[in-house]
Amino acid sequence: HAGSFKINLRSDIMANSNQMSRLFDINEYEPTFKNFSSLFIESDLINEAISNCKLTKSSIRFDEVRSIKDNRYFSINGEVINERGDELLQVVVKDLTATKMHEHELENAILNLEFYKSVIDQTVLLSTINIDGKISFVNQNFSDISGYKNLEMIGKSFDFLMTDKTKENSFEEIIESLKLNDNWKSTIKNINKNGEIYWLDTTIIPFIKDEKVINYISIQVDVTEKVLEEQKVEAQRTFY
């Protein structure tokens, strides 16, 4: 939405357009430009800019001001024109509220995404596997726990860290399982770059676009402490 008005730089008489009147719910004719500036929180700055314009015939511009009545956002742009021998400041006011609300929503969404990504990076090992079974992406947590740098793992077989490679956890078997189920789950025993064993609860799901599998997403949680504790309890039970 936009409205406009003209100010006679000699007499300060201001005439509003119909759109301007509707935009701010004001009379079509107001006696001075101060009636206009008083609509905004930044009234002093607007008054100063218009006064300066009267002296220098320069244009005015405010990319963002807020209305006092309902805190809406507006832009103000004005330039000096000559109309029938009178010097007039012609001003266009645009309502930016919808745009600013969208920007705020987008900023909040980005902040939320960054927060969730941070949580995931700290708690989950995330990787993507292409349709040939090769790793195409790993997050930082995956790299930290495996001991390998990200680039060292890109292009390697998704099971290159597994110590117990069986038919059940082979890529071919996982693909066959995913044809029947939405996901594949298992606890996988891995070995990191330093030769240390660790266990991961693993869920693999297909990423589908236009009814076609693009790649596979692997979501893993480190359960090493849990597995070791279970092994310890089982060993004690067996001993007694």
Side-chain angles (χ1 to χ4, degrees):
H1 300 288
S4 63
F5 66 90
K6 296 176 182 177
I7 297 175
N8 188 307
L9 295 181
R10 291 196 185 96
S11 64
D12 284 347
I13 297 298
M14 180 176 112
N16 298 316
S17 66
N18 291 332
Q19 297 97 322
M20 187 75 179
S21 301
R22 287 194 297 268
L23 200 58
F24 290 97
D25 191 26
I26 57 177
N27 295 329
E28 186 173 351
Y29 292 95
E30 295 287 356
T32 68
F33 69 81
K34 291 184 179 179
N35 295 84
F36 165 74
S37 60
S38 65
L39 296 170
F40 299 97
I41 294 174
E42 299 84 352
S43 59
D44 290 343
L45 292 176
I46 295 171
N47 280 337
E48 182 180 345
I50 295 177
S51 297
N52 184 60
C53 177
K54 292 170 67 177
L55 296 173
T56 63
K57 307 301 183 289
S58 57
S59 60
I60 65 171
R61 176 174 177 174
F62 291 90
D63 292 326
E64 182 183 308
V65 293
R66 289 175 297 159
S67 61
I68 289 177
K69 183 178 180 181
D70 47 20
N71 210 33
R72 285 182 293 163
Y73 291 88
F74 295 87
S75 66
I76 301 174
N77 287 280
E79 61 180 357
V80 177
I81 62 172
N82 193 291
E83 190 173 280
R84 293 190 293 273
D86 286 326
E87 286 185 333
L88 306 178
L89 175 61
Q90 181 170 275
V91 180
V92 176
V93 181
K94 291 184 178 180
D95 189 342
L96 304 177
T97 306
T99 301
K100 295 300 294 184
M101 288 180 64
H102 178 71
E103 288 176 357
H104 289 325
E105 290 172 358
L106 185 60
E107 288 172 0
N108 288 334
I110 291 172
L111 288 174
N112 287 335
L113 284 174
E114 290 176 348
F115 171 74
Y116 293 137
K117 181 180 181 300
S118 174
V119 171
I120 289 172
D121 279 341
Q122 294 178 48
T123 59
V124 173
L125 287 76
L126 188 68
S127 62
T128 59
I129 306 163
N130 66 23
I131 58 176
D132 296 320
K134 307 296 184 182
I135 295 173
S136 55
F137 164 82
V138 297
N139 72 345
Q140 190 58 47
N141 201 27
F142 193 115
S143 178
D144 292 341
I145 291 178
S146 70
Y148 290 89
K149 294 180 180 179
N150 293 26
L151 291 178
E152 290 183 285
M153 293 181 279
I154 303 303
K156 289 187 178 294
S157 175
F158 89 101
D159 60 357
F160 87 100
L161 294 170
M162 290 185 191
T163 60
D164 299 326
K165 297 179 182 179
T166 65
K167 179 181 178 181
E168 286 72 23
N169 62 29
S170 68
F171 185 67
E172 292 76 14
E173 192 68 21
I174 292 172
I175 299 306
E176 288 300 315
S177 176
L178 288 173
K179 290 178 181 178
L180 303 174
N181 305 286
D182 293 334
N183 57 68
W184 178 87
K185 292 186 178 183
S186 182
T187 299
I188 293 176
K189 183 181 178 182
N190 279 5
I191 184 168
N192 67 17
K193 196 172 185 178
N194 295 326
E196 299 166 332
I197 300 297
Y198 62 102
W199 284 263
L200 301 173
D201 269 353
T202 302
T203 300
I204 296 178
I205 58 176
F207 178 70
I208 300 173
K209 183 177 181 181
D210 297 329
E211 301 183 355
K212 182 180 179 180
V213 175
I214 304 300
N215 56 29
Y216 300 91
I217 300 172
S218 173
I219 305 165
Q220 299 177 299
V221 177
D222 188 349
V223 292
T224 303
E225 290 185 5
K226 176 185 174 183
V227 172
L228 291 177
E229 184 62 30
E230 289 174 349
Q231 290 179 346
K232 180 179 178 181
V233 171
E234 182 62 28
Q236 291 175 341
R237 184 183 295 115
T238 303
F239 179 78
Y240 291 106

